[in-house]
Amino acid sequence: MAGTPRAVAPSGPASIEASGSVLDRNLAALGVVSQRAARAIAQAQSRTDLEWTLADDGLISCAMTDGWGRKTSLASRKRPGEEAKRLAEAVDFDKAGVIVVKGFGCGHHVRALLERGRSASLIVVYEPDVALLRSVLERQDHSGWLIDPLVAFITDPDDAAWISETLTGSEGLVSLGLRFVEHPPSSKRLAETSDRFEARLAGVVRAIRTNVITTLVQSDVTMRNQIMNLDKYAEAPGIDDLKGTCAGKPAIVVSAGPSLKRNLHLLEQPWVREKFVIVAVQTMLKPLLARGIKPHFVTALDYHEISRRFYEGLTKESVEGVTLVAEAKGNPAILDAWPGVLRCPKDSCLSTLLEQTDANRGPIKPGATVAHLAYYLARHLGCDPVVFIWQDLAFTDGQYYASGAAIHGVWACELGPFCSVETLEWQRIARMRSRLIPARDHLGRGVYTDEQMHTYLTQFERDFAADANFGLTVIDATEGGIEKQGVRVMPLDEILAQYKQSESLELPGAPWPRSSELREAKQKLRRVRADVWKVAELCRKTHAAMTEMAEHHTDQARVNKLIKEVYAHRDEVSKLEPAYTLVQNLNQTGTLKRAKADRKIHLADHSPLDQQKAQIERDAENVRWLGDAADLLGEMMDAAIRAHDGKAPKITREDPAIDPETEAQRGKQRVWAVIPADPWKSDLGVPRDLAEPVLEGLSALRLTLERLGRTKELGGIAILTHNVGDTAAAAGLDPSGGRIGKLAVRFIEADAETYRARAAGIR
């Protein structure tokens, strides 16, 4: 995220006369990072209504005339370099990982912002006037800094896929915050499109932040599932032999949206399965089978054990001819419940654990949902076009799920005279009413989606745009739901008629299981478990040394001696592969914290001694998080070893010690108290003096925790905050959590914007 700052190359020679060679240099540099912008500029015509001048500092300036005859200078006519520097100095980079500049002008302020950001922020330039960009780049040589990977350009205010593509790979910076910087001379010129661009950008940023939070929250669950699925993964074949086997054949991706009822009957025709590769999400398997429709593939990757219900009652005979493609990060209950042919794509965690190249297993792009995985599988097979049905991504007709979806069976136990399926559908929507997002459906009518579905849409549109560059086609035959960029809209019956006379499919046969590899995988798990224990011990020793360094950092002789000790631990732990890599992968939250600390140190103007202390404290915190992650990974591996040896059931839920059936018999539920707590924000309903001593030196938060700790009914306490450090101090606990009496206390971190939006809902 941040490192040694790169020197920002100064702008090169300038001239008020257009130069093809200057333009070529600029476009070549710009094309390295922003190819679409470079192509658009190359195809544009220059503006002929600009008045150019060469300023005293050797940089260009120009003025444009509006429809009323008024002139506006896009940069100072005397010292545009100094003007740009003043604008950059007014921006607070500490609180923004992404700087969005509205208006390119002559480009001088963009270069100044890049230099001011010291390689610690992404600079995104929004400039819809492509003709202006060409005119500037024909006269001022900006190629020295346009090639910087931390500068990107967007010229289309409505292209969400372009915005998403621009921010992909910079998710960590997006999570740190986003700041708009107005280029004053461009404000009026961009007024017509600025709101549309900001709305699209806000949607993409919401999606990215949701993915980041999900990754952080689910990192331990993901790795637990992967290790628990080691046996199935080792035995199951991969998907490499499927690659390209259906090249040029059409595929139908079956989702579970509420538009299902409109055209489900069309898939009942026997010849459809012979002409189309049918890939269904797991939720739709049983409803399809009930109508006599057998998909070729079913996809699964869900974390929750409730997914087991989607396979209840199925037999090997009932799913003959159907292959489950399941990612190893899915809940173990899914893979254990499936009675038919199973394939597992390459999994990075298990591949690392087993130290296998898995060349014959075949990777697949990770998806946010089973529908994404289904789409990626269809493309892996070589299918084109790919037809989506029932992929609404909106509350079509006030519904979330398709009628008869498997989730309705899960809800069956809740139905009664005062609770219908429609009631539960409405509750599912109403729970997020404060987060609903207005949109347009495929007919241009108003419809609502939510933050979660909008996240899924953002990823789909990015995928569609990328595939369109390769000449691939996506058809939306949902006949309902949200409008999607990058697709053709057609009714399903027309698509089926178009391919009715095409050649039949020839899919590969069912592969043989790889049972011989299971014993070796289990032995490898034990060996790596021993190394994980060593990693944890080395982290604790290193943390102790770093804590001593921080306390005595002015004693450089002592610090240097301790540094040698730390380096020795570092060399030792680096030999413990793949254990050390797995611990780092599990430590997602610690990695993000380390990146934030790196950036904070990088942007600060410390003395050498103060910088050394800050780095030591950062490293001490980081190694403590690594040690905790190693302990957690060790516990996961111990549980997995027992499960694979048949000595204990697989863990499929957060707290396996709680048996749901036993709890139901007792008539009790496992309940956690949730405290939305921010020590400094009174607008969240929390007193400003939350951290101040109230009674016998204890804060209000600590007294609240101790009061809750006396109850015998609670299972634990979760404290939601955007500032874990201050909140933990007010609670008198370590930021990693702790216990109050017999109750576990956990801190859940959310960024400030998300925190404010959700705290009221949680209350």
Side-chain angles (χ1 to χ4, degrees):
M1 185 175 295
T4 303
R6 293 184 297 274
V8 178
S11 297
S15 170
I16 61 173
E17 300 297 330
S19 168
S21 61
V22 172
L23 177 65
D24 290 342
R25 285 196 297 273
N26 282 324
L27 293 184
L30 180 62
V32 173
V33 179
S34 301
Q35 293 183 3
R36 295 181 65 178
R39 285 198 300 268
I41 295 169
Q43 296 168 3
Q45 297 293 321
S46 302
R47 292 188 62 147
T48 58
D49 59 342
L50 303 176
E51 297 180 13
W52 298 93
T53 57
L54 196 60
D56 296 343
D57 55 8
L59 302 176
I60 60 168
S61 179
C62 75
M64 60 172 52
T65 304
D66 62 19
W68 300 91
R70 294 172 298 192
K71 288 186 178 181
T72 300
S73 293
L74 297 185
S76 168
R77 298 171 64 89
K78 297 293 185 181
R79 310 288 295 181
E82 291 182 4
E83 177 189 58
K85 187 176 180 180
R86 286 195 300 272
L87 186 149
E89 288 174 346
V91 177
D92 185 357
F93 280 80
D94 289 347
K95 299 179 180 179
V98 179
I99 305 295
V100 181
V101 185
K102 295 197 293 184
F104 183 71
C106 293
H108 309 311
H109 61 293
V110 180
R111 177 187 173 276
L113 285 165
L114 180 64
E115 188 174 42
R116 171 88 167 79
R118 302 174 65 183
S119 307
S121 295
L122 173 67
I123 311 295
V124 178
V125 181
Y126 169 60
E127 179 52 77
D129 191 340
V130 184
L132 171 64
L133 286 171
R134 181 182 177 106
S135 300
V136 172
L137 297 183
E138 286 176 333
R139 291 167 171 83
Q140 180 78 63
D141 188 352
H142 288 310
S143 60
W145 59 267
L146 283 176
I147 199 172
D148 195 296
L150 286 174
V151 179
F153 282 72
I154 296 172
T155 63
D156 187 342
D158 302 311
D159 196 331
W162 188 348
I163 298 171
S164 179
E165 179 184 337
T166 299
L167 298 181
T168 297
S170 300
E171 291 83 358
L173 291 172
V174 174
S175 70
L176 296 179
L178 182 144
R179 169 105 183 239
F180 286 97
V181 174
E182 298 275 355
H183 180 235
S186 301
S187 296
K188 290 184 179 179
R189 181 171 54 85
L190 301 184
E192 293 183 5
T193 64
S194 183
D195 288 345
R196 302 204 319 264
F197 168 69
E198 289 188 22
R200 289 287 189 181
L201 179 64
V204 172
V205 169
R206 277 197 304 267
I208 290 175
R209 286 178 173 168
T210 299
N211 282 332
V212 169
I213 292 171
T214 301
T215 298
L216 295 177
V217 171
Q218 297 286 4
S219 60
D220 55 340
V221 177
T222 299
M223 189 164 286
R224 183 193 69 197
N225 288 347
Q226 289 165 325
I227 298 172
M228 283 290 168
N229 284 323
L230 178 66
D231 55 344
K232 297 293 184 181
Y233 180 83
E235 290 184 321
I239 61 171
D240 192 59
D241 61 311
L242 297 177
K243 188 173 184 178
T245 55
C246 297
K249 299 294 184 180
I252 296 176
V253 172
V254 183
S255 298
S259 296
L260 164 74
K261 58 187 177 183
R262 298 181 182 175
N263 49 27
L264 174 61
H265 63 283
L266 297 176
L267 296 187
E268 296 177 5
Q269 304 171 85
W271 63 267
V272 173
R273 194 176 191 273
E274 299 175 3
K275 308 296 183 179
F276 290 82
V277 178
I278 302 177
V279 188
V281 302
Q282 63 175 9
T283 317
M284 288 307 303
L285 175 59
K286 290 171 73 173
L288 290 176
L289 293 176
R291 301 286 291 264
I293 304 167
K294 272 194 175 182
H296 297 94
F297 299 95
V298 176
T299 55
L301 52 71
D302 293 63
Y303 290 105
H304 202 284
E305 69 170 349
I306 200 172
S307 298
R308 188 203 312 266
R309 300 288 298 273
F310 304 149
Y311 306 96
E312 286 180 351
L314 297 179
T315 64
K316 185 176 181 180
E317 291 72 25
S318 65
V319 296
E320 185 177 357
V322 182
T323 298
L324 176 67
V325 177
E327 290 195 19
K329 67 184 181 183
N331 195 285
I334 298 172
L335 280 67
D336 288 344
W338 175 248
V341 177
L342 171 68
R343 288 177 180 265
C344 290
K346 180 178 179 179
D347 179 84
S348 58
C349 169
L350 294 182
S351 181
T352 300
L353 171 62
L354 301 175
E355 295 185 298
Q356 295 177 347
T357 58
D358 285 337
N360 62 341
R361 183 173 288 279
I364 197 166
K365 187 176 179 180
T369 67
V370 284
H372 290 95
L373 180 58
Y375 177 68
Y376 301 149
L377 178 61
R379 291 303 191 196
H380 180 79
L381 290 162
C383 296
D384 189 61
V386 174
V387 181
F388 277 90
I389 56 176
W390 316 327
Q391 186 61 49
D392 291 69
L393 295 175
F395 300 113
T396 304
D397 300 330
Q399 289 183 279
Y400 186 81
Y401 298 103
S403 179
I407 192 65
H408 290 169
V410 175
W411 289 346
C413 61
E414 302 181 46
L415 302 180
F418 304 103
C419 183
S420 64
V421 169
E422 289 76 14
T423 300
L424 295 174
E425 285 274 1
W426 177 85
Q427 289 176 355
R428 168 64 183 81
I429 300 171
R431 275 198 299 270
M432 292 299 291
R433 57 182 170 270
S434 63
R435 310 293 290 176
L436 294 181
I437 301 171
R440 294 288 176 184
D441 70 5
H442 68 301
L443 297 177
R445 301 171 302 186
V447 69
Y448 279 101
T449 184
D450 66 10
E451 189 176 80
Q452 183 184 57
M453 290 190 290
H454 190 273
T455 299
Y456 303 157
L457 174 65
T458 299
Q459 182 166 341
F460 270 130
E461 290 183 335
R462 186 169 66 242
D463 294 329
F464 298 161
D467 286 345
N469 290 333
F470 293 97
L472 302 176
T473 302
V474 179
I475 299 175
D476 184 12
T478 297
E479 299 181 40
I482 200 168
E483 179 184 24
K484 307 171 186 71
Q485 288 187 355
V487 303
R488 291 168 52 193
V489 178
M490 291 180 64
L492 182 59
D493 56 352
E494 291 184 14
I495 300 168
L496 296 182
Q498 184 176 338
Y499 287 92
K500 187 173 183 178
Q501 304 303 321
S502 62
E503 294 182 3
S504 297
L505 300 171
E506 292 185 13
L507 287 168
W512 292 95
R514 310 190 309 176
S515 304
S516 59
E517 299 189 17
L518 178 56
R519 177 181 296 181
E520 182 179 345
K522 291 164 68 173
Q523 292 174 347
K524 182 64 178 178
L525 176 60
R526 281 185 166 83
R527 292 196 296 270
V528 175
R529 170 63 184 103
D531 286 345
V532 168
W533 180 86
K534 296 176 184 177
V535 171
E537 285 297 300
L538 287 168
C539 286
R540 280 186 278 273
K541 292 178 181 179
T542 305
H543 182 263
M546 287 184 168
T547 301
E548 185 179 347
M549 289 166 62
E551 292 174 354
H552 304 281
H553 76 284
T554 55
D555 185 350
Q556 288 298 294
R558 188 170 184 173
V559 168
N560 290 334
K561 181 180 178 181
L562 290 167
I563 287 176
K564 291 180 180 179
E565 181 181 334
V566 169
Y567 283 175
H569 295 330
R570 179 199 62 185
D571 295 340
E572 188 174 353
V573 80
S574 65
K575 299 175 183 177
L576 299 174
E577 291 292 358
Y580 184 49
T581 295
L582 291 171
V583 171
Q584 288 180 310
N585 291 343
L586 178 60
N587 186 36
Q588 294 290 327
T589 301
T591 300
L592 182 59
K593 287 179 176 292
R594 166 65 189 255
K596 289 181 177 179
D598 282 344
R599 187 173 184 274
K600 186 175 182 180
I601 294 171
H602 176 71
L603 291 172
D605 292 323
H606 285 311
S607 67
L609 199 59
D610 288 341
Q611 180 164 351
Q612 183 192 56
K613 183 179 180 181
Q615 291 170 338
I616 292 171
E617 291 173 342
R618 171 205 63 194
D619 292 340
E621 178 73 2
N622 182 60
V623 81
R624 185 180 67 81
W625 277 87
L626 279 173
D628 291 345
D631 288 337
L632 177 59
L633 179 57
E635 293 173 6
M636 292 179 182
M637 288 182 163
D638 289 339
I641 290 170
R642 290 192 295 270
H644 297 322
D645 287 346
K647 297 178 180 179
K650 289 185 178 180
I651 298 176
T652 58
R653 64 178 70 94
E654 278 304 298
D655 193 342
I658 302 300
D659 181 10
E661 295 183 3
T662 303
E663 286 292 298
Q665 292 171 1
R666 293 176 182 172
K668 297 179 181 179
Q669 292 181 325
R670 185 161 178 82
V671 178
W672 275 55
V674 178
I675 303 177
D678 186 328
W680 320 119
K681 299 293 182 182
S682 59
D683 59 335
L684 297 177
V686 180
R688 285 187 182 276
D689 60 355
L690 181 65
E692 297 297 324
V694 176
L695 181 64
E696 297 180 355
L698 300 179
S699 68
L701 178 58
R702 179 70 187 197
L703 291 171
T704 302
L705 293 175
E706 292 191 355
R707 179 71 178 271
L708 290 171
R710 290 196 289 271
T711 179
K712 297 180 180 179
E713 301 299 320
L714 288 178
I717 304 170
I719 302 177
L720 180 67
T721 176
H722 81 263
N723 188 334
V724 172
D726 290 339
T727 306
L733 293 171
D734 188 90
S736 61
R739 304 191 75 83
I740 297 291
K742 295 183 178 181
L743 297 185
V745 180
R746 297 180 185 173
F747 294 98
I748 302 173
E749 184 175 22
D751 65 85
E753 180 181 339
T754 303
Y755 181 93
R756 288 180 173 83
R758 295 184 176 176
I762 290 174
R763 283 197 296 273

